[in-house]
Amino acid sequence: EIDRRIQAAEKETRDGLPTLSAELQQLVIRSPLPSDLEEALEKAYADLEALEGTGVTVAIRSSALGEDAAGTSFAGQYRSELNVSRDHLAQAYREIVASKYSLPAMSYRLSRGLRDEDIAMCVGALAMIEAVAGGVTYSGNPVDVRDDRIMINAAWGLPKSVVDGSAASDLFVLERGDPPRIVRRKIREKEFKVMAHPSEGLQ
């Protein structure tokens, strides 16, 4: 059905892309999971619960083939869900898969000539922790390929504000070595901290 709708839309102008994006996302979100997939999710959660403790909540996020390939860079276009309980695993899974058809993701693929069927996505889950601080680490300078220093952007608590840009984040620049050495730091004024709610979701 997704292929059929995309092929039909290719005959129209790009003006219809927002509508197509919304339709495809709802199609995924409203579809029941195959029974074997739902069983696999339940088993994986039970295995994680045995390791981490009863009632563990998880961070669920995506990773797609080719998102860091040469000439493409669409990491971060897909949705992530934090502090998800067992009761909402299936729904969170569907919402993340549906984000493959978000307007930014579809527009990017269209502009790069990437076919939908060539972009496979997986969904992974990790046990949540009570983070003192979190952030994003680059193994090199993302805006200067000649600079191989390590760049870390960080904030208090969970790194949601770093990823979505809702707050200024601290910057640490490390020179490679054993051990690496901090050569620059820029500490921003932080007004809030994103934390996991005791039951589910964020606060």
Side-chain angles (χ1 to χ4, degrees):
E1 179 60 18
I2 288 172
D3 289 343
R4 185 191 69 76
R5 294 194 189 198
I6 289 175
Q7 288 167 9
E10 284 173 352
K11 300 172 185 175
E12 302 173 2
T13 65
R14 290 194 184 191
D15 295 341
L17 197 59
T19 300
L20 177 64
S21 167
E23 288 177 353
L24 294 181
Q25 288 183 81
Q26 285 304 308
L27 191 64
V28 174
I29 289 169
R30 293 175 180 170
S31 296
L33 294 183
S35 58
D36 57 343
L37 177 56
E38 197 152 13
E39 288 169 10
L41 278 174
E42 286 290 330
K43 182 183 183 307
Y45 178 85
D47 291 345
L48 189 62
E49 196 173 42
L51 288 172
E52 301 291 339
T54 303
V56 61
T57 57
V58 294
I60 306 180
R61 66 178 307 273
S62 69
S63 185
L65 289 178
E67 66 180 16
D68 293 313
T72 62
S73 179
F74 52 91
Q77 289 182 356
Y78 303 143
R79 186 168 179 159
S80 293
E81 291 288 339
L82 301 178
N83 208 29
V84 178
S85 71
R86 181 177 201 154
D87 293 341
H88 297 109
L89 276 177
Q91 180 64 20
Y93 175 90
R94 284 193 294 267
E95 289 178 2
I96 290 166
V97 172
S99 71
K100 180 185 174 186
Y101 301 102
S102 69
L103 187 56
M106 291 189 72
S107 298
Y108 184 83
R109 291 197 297 271
L110 190 62
S111 70
R112 293 291 176 137
L114 300 169
R115 300 185 308 170
D116 177 70
E117 59 266 32
D118 292 337
I119 307 298
M121 179 203 283
C122 75
V123 177
L126 301 167
M128 290 289 296
I129 63 169
E130 291 187 25
V132 174
V136 176
T137 300
Y138 295 94
S139 57
N141 190 329
V143 295
D144 184 355
V145 295
R146 294 166 296 183
D147 183 358
D148 71 345
R149 294 177 300 174
I150 300 164
M151 310 283 165
I152 301 173
N153 295 104
W156 292 338
L158 296 170
K160 183 179 185 297
S161 62
V162 177
V163 176
D164 65 19
S166 60
S169 57
D170 298 337
L171 170 67
F172 299 91
V173 180
L174 285 75
E175 198 170 73
R176 294 177 182 276
D178 189 16
R181 183 172 62 91
I182 297 176
V183 294
R184 182 182 169 211
R185 68 181 78 206
K186 187 172 186 179
I187 309 301
R188 307 271 192 165
E189 185 175 336
K190 292 171 280 296
E191 298 179 352
F192 64 89
K193 175 180 179 180
V194 180
M195 299 173 62
H197 192 276
S199 55
E200 186 174 25
L202 303 178
Q203 61 181 8

